[in-house]
Protein backbone atom coordinates (compact mmCIF):
# COMPACT_ATOMS: atom_id res chain seq x y z
CA UNK A 1 0.00 0.00 0.00
CA UNK A 2 1.38 3.42 -0.99
CA UNK A 3 1.33 6.72 0.86
CA UNK A 4 -1.34 7.91 -1.60
CA UNK A 5 -3.49 4.89 -0.70
CA UNK A 6 -3.06 5.58 3.03
CA UNK A 7 -3.94 9.26 2.63
CA UNK A 8 -6.93 8.32 0.47
CA UNK A 9 -8.18 6.00 3.19
CA UNK A 10 -7.73 8.72 5.82
CA UNK A 11 -9.62 11.19 3.62
CA UNK A 12 -12.50 8.74 3.14
CA UNK A 13 -12.67 8.11 6.88
CA UNK A 14 -12.68 11.85 7.66
CA UNK A 15 -15.55 12.37 5.18
CA UNK A 16 -17.49 9.27 6.32
CA UNK A 17 -17.25 7.75 2.84
CA UNK A 18 -17.68 3.98 2.44
CA UNK A 19 -14.50 3.68 0.32
CA UNK A 20 -11.53 5.86 -0.68
CA UNK A 21 -11.94 8.04 -3.76
CA UNK A 22 -8.20 8.66 -4.08
CA UNK A 23 -5.73 5.82 -4.59
CA UNK A 24 -2.49 5.20 -6.46
CA UNK A 25 -4.18 2.86 -8.93
CA UNK A 26 -6.93 5.39 -9.70
CA UNK A 27 -4.34 8.10 -10.22
CA UNK A 28 -2.66 5.91 -12.86
CA UNK A 29 -5.88 5.42 -14.82
CA UNK A 30 -7.23 8.97 -14.94
CA UNK A 31 -6.04 12.42 -15.86
CA UNK A 32 -6.39 14.02 -12.44
CA UNK A 33 -3.67 16.03 -10.76
CA UNK A 34 -2.67 15.30 -7.17
CA UNK A 35 -1.03 18.12 -5.23
CA UNK A 36 0.79 16.78 -2.17
CA UNK A 37 2.04 18.96 0.68
CA UNK A 38 5.11 17.50 2.41
CA UNK A 39 7.01 18.36 5.56
CA UNK A 40 10.61 17.50 4.73
CA UNK A 41 11.86 18.41 8.21
CA UNK A 42 10.23 15.56 10.11
CA UNK A 43 12.88 13.96 12.30
CA UNK A 44 13.47 10.23 12.04
CA UNK A 45 11.55 9.57 8.84
CA UNK A 46 14.35 10.30 6.40
CA UNK A 47 11.95 11.19 3.60
CA UNK A 48 9.61 13.61 5.37
CA UNK A 49 5.91 13.28 6.02
CA UNK A 50 2.78 14.01 4.02
CA UNK A 51 0.70 16.81 5.51
CA UNK A 52 -2.16 16.52 3.03
CA UNK A 53 -3.26 16.41 -0.58
CA UNK A 54 -5.62 18.05 -3.05
CA UNK A 55 -6.91 16.18 -6.11
CA UNK A 56 -8.30 18.14 -9.07
CA UNK A 57 -9.33 17.29 -12.60
CA UNK A 58 -11.53 18.34 -15.48
CA UNK A 59 -14.98 16.77 -15.60
CA UNK A 60 -17.77 17.12 -18.11
CA UNK A 61 -20.76 18.40 -16.15
CA UNK A 62 -24.28 19.54 -16.77
CA UNK A 63 -24.90 22.42 -14.38
CA UNK A 64 -27.71 24.86 -13.79
CA UNK A 65 -27.20 28.60 -13.69
CA UNK A 66 -29.13 30.97 -11.37
CA UNK A 67 -32.05 30.99 -13.84
CA UNK A 68 -32.29 27.20 -14.06
CA UNK A 69 -30.81 26.98 -17.56
CA UNK A 70 -28.76 23.85 -18.27
CA UNK A 71 -25.13 24.33 -19.26
CA UNK A 72 -22.74 21.68 -20.52
CA UNK A 73 -19.27 22.60 -19.22
CA UNK A 74 -15.95 20.98 -18.40
CA UNK A 75 -14.55 22.95 -15.45
CA UNK A 76 -11.65 22.19 -13.19
CA UNK A 77 -13.12 20.30 -10.24
CA UNK A 78 -11.97 19.77 -6.68
CA UNK A 79 -12.33 16.00 -6.30
CA UNK A 80 -10.69 15.29 -2.93
CA UNK A 81 -9.00 17.49 -0.32
CA UNK A 82 -7.46 16.26 2.90
CA UNK A 83 -5.13 17.63 5.56
CA UNK A 84 -4.10 15.25 8.35
CA UNK A 85 -6.34 15.84 11.38
CA UNK A 86 -3.42 16.70 13.69
CA UNK A 87 -2.28 19.43 11.28
CA UNK A 88 -5.58 21.13 10.46
CA UNK A 89 -6.05 24.79 11.39
CA UNK A 90 -2.35 25.55 10.91
CA UNK A 91 -2.64 27.17 7.46
CA UNK A 92 -1.53 24.10 5.50
CA UNK A 93 -4.86 23.70 3.70
CA UNK A 94 -4.82 27.31 2.55
CA UNK A 95 -1.17 26.96 1.45
CA UNK A 96 -1.97 23.85 -0.59
CA UNK A 97 -5.18 25.24 -2.08
CA UNK A 98 -3.48 28.53 -2.98
CA UNK A 99 -0.64 26.65 -4.70
CA UNK A 100 -3.18 24.70 -6.79
CA UNK A 101 -5.03 27.89 -7.78
CA UNK A 102 -1.79 29.49 -8.95
CA UNK A 103 -0.58 26.37 -10.78
CA UNK A 104 -3.90 25.86 -12.54
CA UNK A 105 -4.37 29.61 -13.16
CA UNK A 106 -7.91 29.56 -11.87
CA UNK A 107 -9.99 31.63 -9.44
CA UNK A 108 -11.80 29.82 -6.59
CA UNK A 109 -15.29 30.75 -7.85
CA UNK A 110 -14.52 29.08 -11.19
CA UNK A 111 -14.17 25.62 -9.62
CA UNK A 112 -16.81 22.94 -9.27
CA UNK A 113 -16.51 20.95 -6.04
CA UNK A 114 -17.48 17.28 -5.88
CA UNK A 115 -19.52 16.38 -2.76
CA UNK A 116 -17.96 18.98 -0.48
CA UNK A 117 -17.99 18.24 3.23
CA UNK A 118 -19.25 20.88 5.64
CA UNK A 119 -15.59 21.44 6.65
CA UNK A 120 -14.62 22.17 3.04
CA UNK A 121 -17.55 24.55 2.56
CA UNK A 122 -16.50 26.40 5.75
CA UNK A 123 -12.89 26.52 4.49
CA UNK A 124 -13.98 28.02 1.15
CA UNK A 125 -16.26 30.51 2.90
CA UNK A 126 -13.53 31.62 5.33
CA UNK A 127 -10.58 31.88 2.95
CA UNK A 128 -12.20 32.70 -0.39
CA UNK A 129 -15.52 34.28 0.59
CA UNK A 130 -17.45 31.62 -1.35
CA UNK A 131 -20.83 31.77 0.35
CA UNK A 132 -23.51 31.67 -2.29
CA UNK A 133 -23.89 28.26 -3.90
CA UNK A 134 -25.95 27.52 -6.98
CA UNK A 135 -27.93 24.34 -6.30
CA UNK A 136 -27.29 21.44 -8.65
CA UNK A 137 -29.02 18.13 -9.31
CA UNK A 138 -25.68 16.28 -9.37
CA UNK A 139 -23.26 15.99 -6.46
CA UNK A 140 -21.22 19.03 -7.46
CA UNK A 141 -21.40 22.48 -5.92
CA UNK A 142 -20.70 25.65 -7.86
CA UNK A 143 -20.58 29.15 -6.47
CA UNK A 144 -21.89 32.56 -7.43
CA UNK A 145 -19.58 33.89 -10.15
CA UNK A 146 -18.97 30.47 -11.73
CA UNK A 147 -20.45 31.65 -15.05
CA UNK A 148 -18.96 35.18 -14.94
CA UNK A 149 -15.64 34.34 -16.62
CA UNK A 150 -16.49 30.88 -17.82
CA UNK A 151 -13.92 30.88 -20.61
CA UNK A 152 -10.93 30.84 -18.25
CA UNK A 153 -11.19 27.50 -16.40
CA UNK A 154 -13.62 25.67 -18.64
CA UNK A 155 -12.57 23.53 -21.54
CA UNK A 156 -14.62 24.36 -24.59
CA UNK A 157 -16.74 21.46 -25.71
CA UNK A 158 -16.89 20.82 -29.42
CA UNK A 159 -20.32 21.35 -30.90
CA UNK A 160 -22.15 18.14 -31.62
CA UNK A 161 -22.23 17.10 -35.23
CA UNK A 162 -25.67 17.07 -36.79
CA UNK A 163 -27.21 13.66 -36.53
CA UNK A 164 -27.02 11.77 -39.79
CA UNK A 165 -28.34 8.46 -40.91
CA UNK A 166 -26.22 5.62 -39.53
CA UNK A 167 -24.57 3.83 -42.41
CA UNK A 168 -23.52 0.20 -42.21
CA UNK A 169 -19.79 -0.32 -42.05
CA UNK A 170 -18.83 -3.69 -43.43
CA UNK A 171 -15.47 -5.42 -43.64
CA UNK A 172 -15.29 -4.70 -47.37
CA UNK A 173 -15.75 -0.96 -46.67
CA UNK A 174 -12.78 -1.03 -44.29
CA UNK A 175 -10.59 -2.93 -46.73
CA UNK A 176 -11.50 -0.54 -49.50
CA UNK A 177 -10.69 2.51 -47.38
CA UNK A 178 -7.33 1.05 -46.38
CA UNK A 179 -6.39 0.37 -49.99
CA UNK A 180 -7.52 3.79 -51.12
CA UNK A 181 -5.40 5.78 -48.64
Amino acid sequence: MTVIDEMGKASAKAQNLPAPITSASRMQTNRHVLYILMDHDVKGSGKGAVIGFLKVGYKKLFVLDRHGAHNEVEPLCVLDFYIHESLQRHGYGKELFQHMLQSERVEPHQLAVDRPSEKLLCFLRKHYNLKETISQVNNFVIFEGFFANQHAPVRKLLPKRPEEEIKPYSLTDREYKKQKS
Side-chain angles (χ1 to χ4, degrees), residues 91-107:
Y92 295 121
K94 174 118 194 262
E95 180 183 343
L96 181 58
F97 206 89
Q98 196 63 35
H99 177 77
M100 178 276 297
L101 292 172
Q102 290 172 347
S103 295
E104 299 291 336
R105 294 186 175 103
V106 66
E107 294 295 322

Side-chain angles (χ1 to χ4, degrees), residues 132-144:
E132 300 295 320
T133 61
I134 301 173
S135 298
Q136 301 298 312
V137 294
N138 56 24
N139 292 317
F140 284 83
V141 169
I142 61 172
F143 295 92
E144 193 65 48

Side-chain angles (χ1 to χ4, degrees), residues 119-130:
K119 271 187 177 181
L120 179 52
L121 290 173
C122 288
F123 171 88
L124 294 171
R125 191 176 310 120
K126 176 182 177 182
H127 296 293
Y128 299 103
N129 202 29
L130 295 176

Side-chain angles (χ1 to χ4, degrees), residues 31-33 35 54-63 73-81 97 100 104 106 108 110-115 120 138 140-142 146 153-154:
R31 304 180 102 193
H32 300 154
V33 176
Y35 292 92
L54 173 57
K55 181 171 74 170
V56 297
Y58 287 91
K59 293 263 187 187
K60 184 176 181 180
L61 301 175
F62 293 91
V63 296
V73 295
E74 194 171 354
L76 185 64
C77 301
V78 174
L79 304 171
D80 200 1
F81 184 34
F97 206 89
M100 178 276 297
E104 299 291 336
V106 66
Q110 297 170 317
L111 299 166
V113 185
D114 189 11
R115 295 184 189 111
L120 179 52
N138 56 24
F140 284 83
V141 169
I142 61 172
F146 179 82
V154 177

Side-chain angles (χ1 to χ4, degrees), residues 12-29:
K13 182 179 177 187
Q15 297 177 66
N16 294 318
L17 297 174
I21 54 176
T22 300
S23 68
S25 62
R26 282 188 175 177
M27 290 304 298
Q28 291 175 341
T29 60

Side-chain angles (χ1 to χ4, degrees), residues 146-166:
F146 179 82
F147 295 103
N149 293 315
Q150 193 176 14
H151 63 280
V154 177
R155 289 184 186 173
K156 292 288 186 188
L157 297 175
L158 298 174
K160 291 185 176 180
R161 294 191 325 214
E163 290 189 23
E164 300 173 354
E165 182 183 333
I166 298 175

